[in-house]
Amino acid sequence: MIKPEIIFKQIDKTALDPDPFELAARLGLGCSCLGDAVEELLPEVERAAEPKYSAVRLGAEYPSRGVTVIDGHIVSSEGLYKCLDGAREVYLLAVTLGASVDRYLYRLGVISGSDRFVSDGIASALCERAADIATEALSADGSLTHRFSPGYGDLSLLHQQWLLDELSARELLGITLTESGMMVPMKSITAIIGIKNG
Amino acid sequence: MAEKKSIVDIIKEKRLFFDGGTGTVLQGMGLPAGTPPERWSLEHPEKIVALHRSYVECGANIIKTNTFGVNALKYENWREYIEQGIALAREAIGDKEGCFVALDIGPLGRMLKPLGDLDFEDAVELFAKNARGAREHGADLVLIETMADSYETKAAVLGVKESCDLPVFVTNAYDGSGKLMTGASPEAMAALLEGLSVDAIGANCSFGPDKLLPIVSRLAAVSSLPVIFNPNAGLPRTAEGVSRYDIDPVRFAAMMRTAAESGAAILGGCCGTTPEYIRETVRAVEDIDYKYPEKKNITAFSSYTHAVTVGECPGLIGERINPTGKPRLKEALREGNISYVLSEALRQEEAGVDALDVNVGLPEIDEPVMMKRVISELQAVTDLPLQIDTGNAAALEGAMRIYNGKPLVNSVNGKEESLSSVLPLVKKYGGVLIALTVDERGIPSTAEERVAIAERIAARAAEYGIDKRDIVVDPLAMAVSSDPSAAGVTLKAIRLLRERGYKTSLGVSNASFGLPERDRINSVYFTMALSAGLDLAIMNPHSLPMTDAYRGFLALTGRDEGFKSYISHAEKTKGQSKATAQSPTSGGGGGSAGTRSKTPENDNLTLQKAIIKGLRQEAARLALEALSAGDPIEVVNREIIPALGEVGDGFERGTVYLPGLLMSAEAASAAFAEVKKMLPEGSGDKGRVILATVKGDIHDIGKNIVRVLLESHGFGVLDLGRDVSPEAVLAAARESGIRVVGLSALMTTTVPAMEETVRLLHRELPDCRVMVGGAVLTKEYADMIGADAYAPDGVSAVRVAELLCAFDK
């Protein structure tokens, strides 16, 4: 069931538009030959990507230090508590590049380990960029805190399923969890963001 | 009392209506946000009955049970939910005539392998558990709905059909681009689901009726089954602080009218729709005459993304994954080297085939096990449809079962033994059957007799409920060297079969057995066969004369719009005159990636420099040059090893980055592959290592890096892939005799699986040495879990492997 409150958007992939040199720097690439690799592989990763996000705005309470209650769900995390900085409302956010990127990377692993490695880095950078675009769009409703994701600091990965359920992420984005709590598609991000003046 | 008429019969006579949304309506009745709707079946059964009743009163004929989210992964008491769900729907319907209870089955919430970690057979069993309750507690049909993955859909259909004999309806959730989340087109889903003999197919949920209307038209155009249309009430929108779906009942009903006009036979709703939406829909279509869908005479096979229709344009099936006459493939299959098979598949894909023939039959291997493994890996890396080529019934069934689509099945013939083993499998799993015109009396010498065998095969297939459209006849290309009239007989058979409405296929190159320069004659024969009406050719797509003939034929017969295909082929193969159109030198690459060869100073390039710069093709070429002038071992010691040493040192000093290291390693592997061809079999290996990412971990990048580096240093690697159970690692070590194992884990949650694997290997194979690595591991942790060695990165993994292999020797 997709809840009516959920914001769902497909992201125009041309808007991802990462600077190739910045990407090369992120991947730790030095020589011009590797720059060629990024230049050649970036369009392929972009072609495979189907970036989209879902978000939902919920109320937040702080019954005690290190404890955040979001729409009745209790999250014990000092890191999240500090990040939200007392925001009375938060956005939950899930972003993905889609299953086709996973398939592309898996296939590339057969063809070339180096291309697979570089493309994996490119895909991670594109997913971060997609999350930035989603966050920018949400910030139209108010100034936002940084994104805080399960797995950061002391925010347990066990909250991942709750986040995905709240965001109808399976239905809208195709994100599910493995038994060990990893997100599929792999190039996906979930986060909690405080609305500072919300 | 007369037995109730089945919904499968009713739908032949009139349009039916599903109910609408459940969760959104229940929330209006007080279901708290975040509470799964199925919980109310036990907590507030009266409200569920009221919900169902309200839909019946508005004209719905099919009531979905409140069991969408119920499965044994989520609920220990799933049985209770299934029983109660069916009972409540039955209570709501009462004795109202023409109303049916559909056991509602939704997705499991876990992605199947290879994208996720859920095993296909585990998924089948989870769905089967629900379906057993359907028959037991009196459902009239099963609805499998909101499936966004073709593979999970197939698992669900098999689970249901193997557990009960109720009618099965299936609806998928297509995204805004008109595909499932995992890539399947409506045509691919129609092929898959018709092959699995479901009773109705369609679309539901997603982004509203307007977005899904084209899907309805596409399904109705290709499917002979009734099409179901159960969309959402649009997308959620928030306006002035109020959240609601953006399409109201009247607008919704107008779109449903368009859907009915486009061929939808069963209409209903999903999220956001209420009884009012169904009432309006029933009203909106009441003046549209109902017509059961016509039978479509379409022969289609499919992959997890797309369907290929036979007959629209002649198609190519790549024949290279077949060990007959291919020593390197034989060696790869014996060693369990799936990477080689996958590379061959990708090379054929690059050459433009429409499907891949897959034959792994070798006397010394377990064919059913190998066939399943190869099919499973192939469908993870290519979206080409596969042709399962085996005479082993167990191998065929295993492969058809796990295949993510509707396969080509190669083959059945007129012998009773073949018919009785193959036809039941095609009926159960679906497939386009290649029918060979041979029977107990052998291959007839006349075209007419071969056609007669085809007719007999089709008649037997019909007894199993397999339609003639799912049969492609191979009238058999015979060697002209032993019978000069053989080609003429086969060509005549193609024409006769075509006149009788059969599609045809041919293993073209068989005609030239015993003759020199076979492709020269094969290409002429191929052109003649295409002119006679051949639909599918099984052939070597790397053969230039054959691909010239094919692209030329398409261009000359108006099947190549704007001559795009011919021009692309001509540009790609410009200047090539040898029979083989593609160089297979690199030993691992297919496709355009991985073949980067830009360099400004190629003229002065040495093998060492080519490796250091990571130039694969150049490294292979220069290795060949060096080998023509010198001893293979010298080439390794003087060129390859020093180059790798320089790059490895640079990596450790921080002047070379990981991608550069990998590119050099791949260039070294390409050079090493050329060296190995000059050495006696097996003598080039430094040692053999098993690699695996441990159970539960689907991140294999670290393991892949180590594989590339080990291969570049001359190790033979048996790569078991990702999410590999401890038992599978042990089995591989036992079977292969390899005693050095490398394990990788990325997440803390999967390190226990690594520990379990180490423990099992040490217990069962005490002489086995295990090295471990991965983002979350440390030396201390590696010691704690009992590993024999820890490799913090790829370069150290090579050194550790050298030590362990030396120890092993």
Side-chain angles (χ1 to χ4, degrees):
Chain A
M1 178 181 60
I2 301 167
K3 293 174 197 132
E5 298 83 7
I6 289 173
I7 302 160
F8 168 77
K9 292 262 165 49
Q10 288 176 329
I11 298 171
D12 175 7
K13 50 180 148 179
T14 58
L16 294 178
D17 194 28
D19 177 348
F21 294 104
E22 188 188 317
L23 253 176
R26 285 183 89 134
L27 286 162
L29 306 180
C31 79
S32 59
C33 181
L34 295 173
D36 286 347
V38 171
E39 202 177 306
E40 279 182 37
L41 294 168
L42 176 60
E44 298 296 323
V45 183
E46 281 180 334
R47 194 169 299 133
E50 294 169 341
K52 43 194 175 266
Y53 72 89
S54 64
V56 66
R57 186 173 180 145
L58 299 171
E61 292 165 2
Y62 308 89
S64 60
R65 183 167 179 81
V67 177
T68 309
V69 179
I70 301 170
D71 198 31
H73 180 81
I74 301 166
V75 184
S76 296
S77 160
E78 193 71 31
L80 177 68
Y81 180 86
K82 278 186 192 158
C83 176
L84 295 180
D85 194 24
R88 308 316 302 176
E89 283 188 294
V90 299
Y91 276 117
L92 308 186
L93 171 69
V95 184
T96 186
L97 295 188
S100 46
V101 169
D102 281 16
R103 285 222 180 245
Y104 173 72
L105 293 174
Y106 194 74
R107 173 189 164 93
L108 212 48
V110 173
I111 300 172
S112 162
S114 58
D115 285 358
R116 159 74 200 264
F117 179 81
V118 173
S119 297
D120 199 280
I122 291 171
S124 295
L126 290 183
C127 195
E128 282 292 338
R129 181 73 190 111
D132 289 345
I133 289 171
T135 311
E136 281 160 28
L138 296 174
S139 68
D141 286 350
S143 173
L144 304 180
T145 66
H146 290 299
R147 295 193 296 267
F148 207 88
S149 297
Y152 283 4
D154 61 348
L155 181 55
S156 169
L157 282 171
L158 294 174
H159 296 291
Q160 204 73 283
Q161 188 63 58
W162 161 73
L163 269 163
L164 296 178
D165 288 346
E166 287 291 327
L167 291 160
S168 292
R170 183 183 58 73
E171 296 89 337
L172 292 170
L173 310 177
I175 304 176
T176 58
L177 290 182
T178 66
E179 202 171 5
S180 49
M182 298 179 190
M183 279 192 283
V184 179
M186 286 192 288
K187 298 305 170 191
S188 302
I189 291 171
T190 55
I192 303 169
I193 315 167
I195 305 170
K196 283 183 190 165
N197 53 357
Chain B
M1 200 173 102
E3 195 174 321
K4 188 175 172 180
K5 211 169 174 181
S6 164
I7 192 166
V8 176
D9 295 323
I10 301 268
I11 191 61
K12 286 179 181 150
E13 297 158 7
K14 64 172 191 173
R15 182 175 293 115
L16 293 176
F17 298 91
F18 264 106
D19 56 9
T22 299
T24 34
V25 182
L26 290 182
Q27 281 188 346
M29 294 163 80
L31 177 78
T35 302
E38 55 269 15
R39 293 264 297 273
W40 269 25
S41 287
L42 301 180
E43 292 166 12
H44 298 284
E46 72 291 347
K47 293 192 174 173
I48 301 301
V49 173
L51 167 75
H52 292 327
R53 257 192 204 129
S54 63
Y55 277 119
V56 174
E57 284 160 10
C58 289
N61 318 95
I62 313 172
I63 300 300
K64 302 188 285 266
T65 58
N66 182 30
T67 52
F68 175 80
V70 176
N71 61 61
L73 278 178
K74 289 187 196 156
Y75 294 102
E76 281 183 9
N77 60 338
W78 52 273
R79 280 191 190 86
E80 193 181 1
Y81 279 116
I82 297 287
E83 180 176 1
Q84 177 78 338
I86 294 170
L88 298 178
R90 181 65 64 204
E91 183 183 336
I93 285 175
D95 53 5
K96 190 172 168 70
E97 207 175 311
C99 275
F100 299 89
V101 172
L103 176 74
D104 192 347
I105 293 182
L108 297 169
R110 291 259 304 277
M111 187 65 81
L112 272 67
K113 293 175 180 179
L115 291 175
D117 65 337
L118 185 62
D119 184 75
F120 181 78
E121 291 300 341
D122 290 343
V124 171
E125 177 52 26
L126 284 162
F127 288 117
K129 282 179 171 164
N130 284 22
R132 284 178 204 120
R135 169 55 88 189
E136 195 181 331
H137 301 299
D140 300 307
L141 68 146
V142 176
L143 172 69
I144 297 165
E145 64 149 314
T146 325
M147 292 285 171
D149 175 27
S150 55
Y151 211 26
E152 187 176 9
T153 310
K154 178 167 180 174
V157 173
L158 284 179
V160 171
K161 288 185 85 79
E162 289 175 348
S163 309
C164 73
D165 57 359
L166 293 173
V168 181
F169 288 12
V170 181
T171 56
N172 289 100
Y174 293 88
D175 66 15
S177 64
K179 298 178 302 183
L180 302 191
M181 292 273 190
T182 49
S185 67
E187 292 78 13
M189 290 313 298
L192 170 70
L193 293 168
E194 286 202 357
L196 289 166
S197 303
V198 307
D199 299 287
I201 63 173
N204 81 297
C205 201
S206 310
F207 303 118
D210 45 346
K211 302 283 189 308
L212 280 182
L213 274 172
I215 305 289
V216 171
S217 303
R218 287 170 65 180
L219 287 173
V222 296
S223 178
S224 308
L225 295 173
V227 172
I228 306 164
F229 190 41
N230 289 344
N232 282 358
L235 268 176
R237 297 261 187 272
T238 303
E240 295 167 0
V242 180
S243 299
R244 58 190 168 83
Y245 287 85
D246 64 357
I247 296 176
D248 66 31
V250 173
R251 237 181 101 211
F252 180 87
M255 293 176 197
M256 297 303 275
R257 183 181 168 86
T258 308
E261 287 166 345
S262 304
I266 307 172
L267 303 171
C270 198
C271 305
T273 62
T274 63
E276 191 55 26
Y277 284 73
I278 303 304
R279 187 197 308 280
E280 289 298 332
T281 296
V282 173
R283 263 191 213 141
V285 300
E286 62 191 1
D287 63 332
I288 301 175
D289 287 340
Y290 178 69
K291 213 171 116 196
Y292 189 75
E294 286 171 4
K295 189 180 156 195
K296 314 292 187 302
N297 191 25
I298 293 171
T299 303
F301 55 91
S302 68
S303 69
Y304 73 89
T305 56
H306 66 282
V308 175
T309 302
V310 183
E312 283 177 354
C313 178
L316 299 185
I317 301 171
E319 66 173 14
R320 302 294 298 166
I321 304 176
N322 185 329
T324 309
K326 300 182 190 74
R328 288 185 70 192
L329 181 59
K330 276 184 189 165
E331 187 188 338
L333 290 172
R334 283 192 201 110
E335 291 177 350
N337 178 3
I338 302 295
S339 298
Y340 181 84
V341 181
L342 300 182
S343 298
E344 185 52 70
L346 296 181
R347 278 197 287 274
Q348 293 186 88
E349 182 181 317
E350 181 80 357
V353 299
D354 300 290
L356 296 169
D357 186 78
V358 184
N359 182 318
V360 296
L362 277 178
E364 59 272 44
I365 66 166
D366 185 337
E367 191 180 346
V369 170
M370 180 57 78
M371 180 64 97
K372 264 177 91 167
R373 190 169 162 213
V374 168
I375 294 285
S376 166
E377 291 284 339
L378 276 172
Q379 64 188 5
V381 302
T382 176
D383 68 352
L384 283 177
L386 302 180
Q387 171 163 287
I388 303 166
D389 182 359
T390 176
N392 180 320
L396 179 61
E397 171 151 30
M400 290 180 80
R401 188 171 175 86
I402 61 153
Y403 179 63
N404 191 355
K406 181 182 180 187
L408 283 157
V409 175
N410 191 10
S411 57
V412 72
N413 60 50
K415 295 175 188 171
E416 184 50 37
E417 186 188 356
S418 171
L419 293 164
S420 57
S421 66
V422 175
L423 294 178
L425 298 179
V426 173
K427 176 58 189 166
K428 178 173 179 182
Y429 297 108
V432 169
L433 189 53
I434 306 292
L436 308 183
T437 54
V438 57
D439 63 12
E440 283 85 354
R441 289 164 296 180
I443 301 168
S445 58
T446 69
E448 290 77 6
E449 287 172 294
R450 292 187 198 179
V451 173
I453 293 178
E455 299 274 27
R456 282 203 296 279
I457 293 172
R460 281 300 307 281
E463 290 171 18
Y464 284 88
I466 300 166
D467 201 282
K468 181 179 169 182
R469 67 181 176 153
D470 280 334
I471 295 172
V472 172
V473 181
D474 183 340
L476 299 172
M478 306 300 293
V480 289
S481 56
S482 57
D483 176 7
S485 69
V489 170
T490 304
L491 294 173
K492 184 179 178 189
I494 291 173
R495 280 190 286 270
L496 291 177
L497 287 162
R498 192 175 175 78
E499 283 167 20
R500 284 161 176 75
Y502 288 99
K503 304 290 189 298
T504 54
S505 165
L506 206 60
V508 182
S509 57
N510 294 342
S512 62
F513 270 127
L515 295 175
E517 295 291 318
R518 291 179 58 187
D519 274 350
R520 294 189 191 186
I521 196 164
N522 285 343
S523 61
V524 177
Y525 183 47
F526 184 27
T527 309
M528 292 166 81
L530 288 168
S531 299
L534 182 69
D535 296 300
L536 294 173
I538 305 175
M539 54 167 261
N540 175 7
H542 306 317
S543 159
L544 192 55
M546 295 293 274
T547 48
D548 280 350
Y550 177 68
R551 302 290 164 197
F553 179 83
L554 297 189
L556 291 168
T557 54
R559 291 172 167 105
D560 183 4
E561 199 185 338
F563 299 97
K564 283 182 199 152
S565 161
Y566 178 76
I567 291 168
S568 162
H569 169 70
E571 282 172 355
K572 256 200 260 180
T573 56
K574 200 173 177 182
Q576 289 182 27
S577 56
K578 290 184 182 171
T580 299
Q582 288 197 339
S583 162
T585 50
S586 64
S592 56
T595 55
R596 210 168 289 107
S597 60
K598 278 185 199 170
T599 175
E601 67 268 13
N602 274 3
D603 290 345
N604 301 320
L605 205 60
T606 62
L607 176 53
Q608 270 200 49
K609 278 188 188 168
I611 293 172
I612 291 165
K613 285 172 178 291
L615 304 170
R616 278 169 65 172
Q617 287 180 333
E618 293 303 315
R621 181 180 64 76
L622 290 164
L624 267 177
E625 277 179 20
L627 288 164
S628 66
D631 173 31
I633 300 298
E634 286 290 291
V635 173
V636 174
N637 291 338
R638 293 199 173 176
E639 301 280 344
I640 300 177
I641 298 294
L644 282 171
E646 185 175 331
V647 178
D649 290 346
F651 177 72
E652 292 190 328
R653 284 198 307 273
T655 56
V656 172
Y657 298 99
L658 189 51
L661 180 72
L662 291 171
M663 286 167 74
S664 291
E666 286 176 333
S669 290
F672 209 88
E674 298 301 335
V675 171
K676 275 183 80 175
K677 288 179 194 165
M678 304 285 179
L679 298 174
E681 201 174 317
S683 66
D685 280 351
K686 214 173 209 177
R688 298 187 68 205
V689 180
I690 290 173
L691 288 183
T693 302
V694 299
K695 185 168 174 55
D697 207 321
I698 55 168
H699 295 92
D700 57 359
I701 194 155
K703 182 265 299 170
N704 288 346
I705 290 167
V706 173
R707 186 188 77 201
V708 170
L709 292 173
L710 286 175
E711 284 174 345
S712 74
H713 283 75
F715 286 90
V717 176
L718 178 56
D719 185 351
L720 302 182
R722 57 188 187 175
D723 190 17
V724 186
S725 70
E727 295 75 21
V729 178
L730 175 66
R734 273 205 174 118
E735 280 167 26
S736 65
I738 299 172
R739 289 295 176 266
V740 177
V741 175
L743 300 175
S744 164
L746 182 81
M747 307 279 283
T748 46
T749 48
T750 56
V751 174
M754 178 179 268
E755 184 176 7
E756 194 187 334
T757 310
V758 172
R759 202 183 310 124
L760 184 69
L761 285 169
H762 282 167
R763 193 181 69 219
E764 299 295 322
L765 299 172
D767 58 338
C768 192
R769 302 282 172 260
V770 187
M771 63 173 174
V772 296
V776 295
L777 282 177
T778 59
K779 171 79 173 68
E780 292 69 33
Y781 206 98
D783 290 341
M784 204 170 84
I785 65 173
D788 299 292
Y790 166 63
D793 56 44
V795 172
S796 49
V798 173
R799 297 198 180 120
V800 170
E802 281 168 345
L803 282 172
L804 294 180
C805 285
F807 185 78
D808 185 38
K809 278 174 187 163

